[in-house]
Amino acid sequence: MKKIIALLLTLLLSACETQIITVPVFIYDNSDAYMAEFESNIRLAAQPMDYLIRSFNSQNSQIIQNDQIDPFMNKDYPVLMINPVDRLSVYAIIEKAKQNDSTIIFFNREPLPEDLALYDKVYYVGADAVQSAQLQASLIMDLFGNDPKNLNEYDKNQDGIIQAVILKGEQGHQDAEARTKYVIETLTESKYQIEVLDISSANWDKETAQTQMEELIPLYGDKIEILISNNDAMALGAIETLKTYKFFDDLNQDGVIDRSIEPWLPVVGIDGLEVSIESIKQGYLYGTIKNDSESMADCLVQLADWLLKGKSLENFPYTITDGKYLWINYQKLSLEE
Ligand code: BGC
């Protein structure tokens, strides 16, 4: 009798299980510091939902990602969340989704508008890179003072020009291109003079930036008045190298840099990682721009929920532009704020 009950229970449980919908989430690369936080925010946001999240690490390979996506292109998985490895080649994924009538929510790595236009059941959740550049420029203006014609003491050589080194993210990523272009443009438009000593690509990566700085310091060293990084991971990597060259020096060993009395070099990032907030508190990183993955995760998870329930998106809590785009604002973070 006990055996029969156990069998019945197992059957009942598996029947229940099959009814719970799974939404697969494909992350371009979990070793990316920002995406690792983003992924855990998606998991957290999805906890109260009545569908399950199953997440995949595509290890920075579109081939791996395509293989991971394939088994989920069928009627059992009506919604897929995709952070594409190669944002320029989502065409094939969209075509498959179309054949299957599945809905795709892309995020963080923005596909081309012409690809998104191929299908109406496709969305993009992201943030406007131009806004992050403008806010980062505003952090820099806060530091050098409000008067572009009369920079303060952070203009070390007092030539009225900000000497900068830029650490650039992955080539071809919409954020790397726009952040680099518009941070310079915003400063120039606000009448600040900026001399870009070097733009060095470190692929969003902390260790790469750390080694890159080994080459940049001997070239520019004391000339550098600010290090502008396209993201926090690279900013923190650069800080590590700058520490070894004593551009940051905790002379009194109290664990905090007091920039009024101890060597310090301004470094600004973008993302607002937890480790960056710590670095700001310890006086190293000057500031960052929050690339709000908590809100983006909430937006993704809610959108999937509404779509699964077949609700009309007319009253969806996040604004939907052109029927496809959901933009989340960046925010400035520094000790000054
Ligand atoms: C973030 C980077 C991250 C990249 C991944 C950007 O929005 O700022 O830190 O590496 O997305 O696609």
Side-chain angles (χ1 to χ4, degrees), residues 206-274:
K206 183 175 180 187
E207 278 75 35
T208 314
Q210 208 164 331
T211 6
Q212 210 79 272
M213 280 314 283
E214 294 279 353
E215 285 171 29
L216 295 168
I217 292 173
L219 289 177
Y220 307 109
D222 284 323
K223 277 195 198 152
I224 307 173
E225 290 171 342
I226 187 156
L227 201 129
I228 305 172
S229 178
N230 277 179
N231 80 344
D232 283 355
M234 297 188 293
L236 297 175
I239 289 176
E240 285 310 311
T241 311
L242 289 165
K243 275 187 200 168
T244 59
Y245 285 84
K246 305 283 180 211
F247 282 90
F248 289 96
D249 202 353
D250 184 11
L251 296 171
N252 60 12
Q253 299 281 303
D254 67 348
V256 175
I257 294 283
D258 177 350
R259 66 183 200 239
S260 62
I261 49 165
E262 290 171 324
W264 180 77
L265 185 84
V267 178
V268 286
I270 291 178
D271 278 344
L273 300 179
E274 276 173 31

Side-chain angles (χ1 to χ4, degrees), residues 61-109:
S61 156
Q62 192 58 60
I63 298 173
I64 295 182
Q65 188 169 68
N66 289 346
D67 287 348
Q68 290 170 330
I69 292 175
D70 267 349
F72 293 92
M73 283 288 186
N74 63 61
K75 301 271 173 284
D76 290 338
Y77 304 96
V79 177
L80 294 85
M81 297 182 189
I82 305 181
N83 174 222
V85 178
D86 182 0
R87 69 183 188 99
L88 303 177
S89 60
V90 298
Y91 173 84
I93 300 175
I94 293 181
E95 279 303 319
K96 273 190 199 156
K98 223 166 141 179
Q99 283 162 22
N100 246 317
D101 201 32
S102 338
T103 301
I104 306 237
I105 315 174
F106 289 106
F107 61 102
N108 168 262
R109 300 164 72 87

Side-chain angles (χ1 to χ4, degrees), residues 109-177:
R109 300 164 72 87
E110 187 185 342
L112 296 173
E114 52 266 41
D115 286 339
L116 294 186
L118 292 169
Y119 184 36
D120 55 349
K121 292 167 94 174
V122 54
Y123 298 88
Y124 176 70
V125 174
D128 171 20
V130 178
Q131 186 190 40
S132 63
Q134 288 164 340
L135 291 172
Q136 197 181 41
S138 130
L139 268 182
I140 300 170
M141 296 187 244
D142 292 345
L143 179 75
F144 285 90
N146 289 334
D147 182 359
K149 296 282 161 266
N150 189 18
L151 303 180
N152 60 21
E153 72 275 17
Y154 291 109
D155 176 20
K156 289 193 288 197
N157 60 0
Q158 287 294 303
D159 65 348
I161 304 168
I162 302 172
Q163 271 79 26
V165 163
I166 299 185
L167 284 177
K168 194 172 169 189
E170 178 190 344
Q171 294 289 358
H173 190 298
Q174 81 279 348
D175 291 343
E177 305 302 333

Side-chain angles (χ1 to χ4, degrees), residues 307-321:
L307 292 166
L308 289 172
K309 290 183 174 144
K311 288 186 179 170
S312 144
L313 294 177
E314 216 170 297
N315 298 318
F316 191 65
Y318 294 87
T319 308
I320 306 182
T321 313

